[in-house]
Amino acid sequence: MTTLYLFGSAAPPVFEVAEVIENAQARGWDVCLGLTPTAARWLGEQLPELEWLTGHPVRSEYKLPGEPDVWPPADAILLAPATFNTVNEWSLGLTSKFVVGVVAEAIGKEIPTVAVPCVNSAYARHPQFHRSVDALRSMGVTVLYGEGGFEPNQPGERRPEGYPWHLALDAAGAIASPAP
């Protein structure tokens, strides 16, 4: 089975991750879930259910040196939702968070990676955000941002059509097709 690392940061769409896991599994993916520490705190009560659903531990922290990896190797990585902070940390190589460290290393390992930001229009106006998106794209990351991907909403609002999870899973399938 083809392994998808599904990573999420602390933005409201992360609360939909169980449904996304089920959709990815229906598409043939073996899903391993990684979360930023804040996203893990937001989903705290759901973590046992999410571990049962994926069949793997949910990770939000680095393992200790010498500990075996509890996940199979990734065939593809999907980082969604990717917050303003996560996108900027990743682009700049600031890897204090587990999920950011893994996606930063994935560039060098040439693991196909998709990112779908989730930022409001105020964050999107910050010049570093666009530099970070451009930098990630130049590193080979598929970033679904702008037309045909995530388009920013006003602060405090959600897009009526919802977060583009279907586009995220389609993009992951396009870069590394799951086993049937």
Side-chain angles (χ1 to χ4, degrees):
M1 186 171 272
T2 309
T3 301
L4 175 69
Y5 286 5
L6 175 61
F7 289 164
S9 38
V14 79
F15 289 111
E16 302 162 359
V17 75
E19 183 179 338
V20 177
I21 291 166
E22 290 172 340
N23 288 339
Q25 290 170 330
R27 293 175 182 226
W29 293 104
D30 176 24
V31 180
C32 296
L33 179 63
L35 302 166
T36 63
T38 302
R41 192 173 76 238
W42 285 13
L43 296 174
E45 293 180 11
Q46 297 175 39
L47 294 180
E49 174 190 334
L50 294 168
E51 289 186 350
W52 177 84
L53 185 61
T54 64
H56 302 285
V58 174
R59 294 187 59 194
S60 61
E61 301 290 336
Y62 285 105
K63 65 182 184 67
L64 295 174
E67 283 184 338
D69 200 337
V70 294
W71 287 354
D75 295 296
I77 301 174
L78 170 58
L79 175 49
T83 61
F84 176 81
N85 195 51
T86 298
V87 169
N88 289 324
E89 286 176 336
W90 181 11
S91 164
L92 295 170
L94 304 175
T95 61
S96 61
K97 293 180 185 136
F98 165 71
V99 297
V100 177
V102 174
V103 293
E105 190 175 42
I107 292 167
K109 290 181 171 182
E110 299 181 352
I111 299 170
T113 304
V114 174
V116 186
C118 185
V119 297
N120 66 40
S121 59
Y123 281 127
R125 292 182 66 185
H126 192 287
Q128 183 57 50
F129 180 73
H130 289 280
R131 286 192 291 269
S132 293
V133 168
D134 291 344
L136 290 171
R137 286 177 172 156
S138 76
M139 294 176 215
V141 177
T142 300
V143 182
L144 301 181
Y145 177 74
E147 191 173 330
F150 179 82
E151 296 188 34
N153 47 283
Q154 293 301 311
E157 294 180 0
R158 292 198 66 183
R159 300 196 63 78
E161 67 276 14
Y163 190 71
W165 285 113
H166 64 290
L167 296 176
L169 290 173
D170 288 349
I175 62 170
S177 297

